[in-house]
């Protein structure tokens, strides 16, 4: 395949199919002209590359480990066990009458997908700078592939949650699953888009301000305590309720628990707020990401 670059070497660009242009070139690269020119069609054309990145991330994470994919189960189980001992037995935090182990595992499963996708997308420019500076492809394919590869991990950990959930469902009367389970695909999409949007904003900012990468890692840990992962929303004091509800992950976590466990705060208003906030963050993140990709090689 022959390619001609009509832009400067460091300027991010988008490609045009060869059949739309005359001449001998099979791929012609042109500079972007507008912040809102997202070139999503190019991302779709490179969908095979996205899947290759997904496979690469999935395989490389555990390729040289002894336990391999078993870590998908070990990490949430050990985290849940730690929370069960510290917050359930020592601190004796209320879980709305639900078995503490499945209560914590539900929160960890949801929060784990969001936090891992966010932290991975946030470093996409700095960790892939060498590749970006040598080869052209739509840069949006990289953060998309990260969210999708973490979706595979989420699917495996969701299976673990369902096994534990089924155990408590058939051995106790504490769980009361309901029709809200039908909203699970929507919750997963919202988590993926929210982590993608926030991650792209941080990835753009960390090209100039590396401190933000460390701040994000620290901030994600703190944000977990501002999300009802280890406590139910119903136990939050009234004066702090607005602060917790302002977190778009709150409605997602509570709806997930209300669906599978039968105890949690479900509100169409809260879920609608999370959806609107997610879409705004995603749009802002995509625009900022496309703006920064034009010149990030000068600062990384």
């Amino acid at each position: 395949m022959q390619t001609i670059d009509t832009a400067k070497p460091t300027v991010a660009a988008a490609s045009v199919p060869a059949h739309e242009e005359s001449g001998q070139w099979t791929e012609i690269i042109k500079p972007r002209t507008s912040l809102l020119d997202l070139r999503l069609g190019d991302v779709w054309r490179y969908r095979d590359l996205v899947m290759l990145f997904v496979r690469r991330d999935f395989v490389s994470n555990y390729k040289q480990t002894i336990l391999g994919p078993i870590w998908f189960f070990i990490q949430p189980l050990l985290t849940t066990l730690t929370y069960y001992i510290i917050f359930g037995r020592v601190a004796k935090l209320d879980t709305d009458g639900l078995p503490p182990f499945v209560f914590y595992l539900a929160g960890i499963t949801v929060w784990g997908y969001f936090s891992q996708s966010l932290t991975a997308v946030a470093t996409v420019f700095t960790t892939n700078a060498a590749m970006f500076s040598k080869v052209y492809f739509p840069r949006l394919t990289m953060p998309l592939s990260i969210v999708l590869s973490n979706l595979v991990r989420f699917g495996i950990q969701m299976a673990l949650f369902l096994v534990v959930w089924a155990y408590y469902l058939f051995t106790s009367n504490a769980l009361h699953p309901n029709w809200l389970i039908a909203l699970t695909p929507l919750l997963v999409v919202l988590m993926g888009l929210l982590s993608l949007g926030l991650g792209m904003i941080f990835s753009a900012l960390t090209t100039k301000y590396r401190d933000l990468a460390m701040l994000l890692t620290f901030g994600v840990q703190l944000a977990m305590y501002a999300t009802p992962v280890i406590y139910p929303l119903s136990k939050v004091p009234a004066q702090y309720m607005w602060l917790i509800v302002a977190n778009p992950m709150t409605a997602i976590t509570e709806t997930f628990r209300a669906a599978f466990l039968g105890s949690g705060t479900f509100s169409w208003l809260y879920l609608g707020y999370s959806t609107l906030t997610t879409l705004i963050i995603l749009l802002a993140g995509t625009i900022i990401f496309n703006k920064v990709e034009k010149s990030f090689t000068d600062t990384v």
Side-chain angles (χ1 to χ4, degrees):
M1 179 181 70
Q2 291 178 296
T3 302
I4 183 172
D5 190 347
T6 62
K8 295 179 179 179
T10 58
V11 175
S15 61
V16 175
H19 66 271
E20 297 180 3
E21 304 287 344
S22 60
Q24 59 179 318
W25 307 103
T26 58
E27 187 98 348
I28 299 177
I29 302 173
K30 294 182 178 179
R32 297 179 188 280
T33 57
S34 169
L35 284 179
L36 295 178
D37 185 15
L38 303 181
R39 304 281 189 181
L40 297 180
D42 284 357
V43 177
W44 174 251
R45 288 179 54 227
Y46 281 78
R47 59 189 181 278
D48 291 339
L49 182 63
V50 174
M51 298 315 297
L52 285 175
F53 284 147
V54 170
R55 184 180 183 279
R56 181 202 64 174
D57 293 341
F58 186 78
V59 172
S60 62
N61 280 342
Y62 299 97
K63 188 174 183 180
Q64 295 182 332
T65 61
I66 296 176
L67 298 179
I70 297 177
W71 282 109
F72 285 128
F73 302 102
I74 293 178
Q75 290 171 340
L77 281 177
L78 288 181
T79 305
T80 302
L81 184 61
T82 302
Y83 288 179
Y84 174 77
I85 295 174
I86 300 299
F87 299 114
R89 292 296 184 179
V90 178
K92 297 187 182 301
L93 294 183
D94 198 316
T95 58
D96 268 351
L98 296 170
F101 196 87
V102 71
F103 177 88
Y104 294 131
L105 184 58
I108 290 169
T109 302
V110 172
W111 181 256
Y113 175 53
F114 168 75
S115 62
Q116 289 164 2
S117 298
L118 171 58
T119 52
V121 172
T123 59
V124 69
F125 275 130
T126 53
T127 56
N128 298 281
M131 184 189 303
F132 284 169
S133 62
K134 295 176 181 176
V135 183
Y136 169 74
F137 56 88
R139 306 311 189 212
L140 275 176
T141 57
M142 189 64 78
L144 278 175
S145 68
I146 293 173
V147 172
L148 290 176
S149 63
N150 277 292
L151 185 60
V152 176
R153 181 204 302 258
F154 172 77
I156 297 173
Q157 294 180 346
M158 184 69 187
L160 171 66
F161 166 74
L162 290 177
V163 170
V164 175
W165 172 75
Y167 169 79
Y168 282 100
L169 182 64
F170 293 112
T171 59
S172 71
N173 295 320
L175 306 186
H176 304 285
N178 50 68
W179 68 271
L180 291 174
I181 289 179
L183 295 178
T184 302
L186 173 63
L187 302 180
V188 175
V189 170
L190 288 178
M191 286 189 291
L193 296 181
L194 182 60
S195 60
L196 180 64
L198 284 174
M200 288 193 295
I201 292 174
F202 274 96
S203 69
L205 296 177
T206 51
T207 58
K208 286 187 176 180
Y209 310 104
R210 297 297 180 89
D211 290 352
L212 287 176
M214 290 179 279
L215 177 63
L216 177 64
T217 303
F218 180 61
V220 167
Q221 295 175 358
L222 293 181
M224 189 197 75
Y225 295 102
T227 307
V229 173
I230 58 174
Y231 55 85
L233 184 63
S234 59
K235 302 303 178 186
V236 175
Q239 64 266 34
Y240 301 119
M241 183 64 78
W242 67 271
L243 183 63
I244 304 300
V245 171
N247 179 355
M249 278 298 295
T250 293
I252 296 173
T253 306
E254 282 291 302
T255 302
F256 184 84
R257 279 212 187 98
F260 285 90
L261 308 185
S263 179
T265 303
F266 170 71
S267 165
W268 285 112
L269 178 63
Y270 291 166
L271 194 59
Y273 163 77
S274 292
T275 303
L276 180 62
T277 304
T278 297
L279 294 178
I280 292 174
I281 291 176
L282 179 65
L283 178 62
T286 306
I287 292 175
I288 295 173
F289 186 89
N290 277 305
K291 177 179 174 56
V292 171
E293 72 166 338
K294 299 176 181 177
S295 58
F296 83 96
T297 52
D298 297 332
T299 55
V300 172

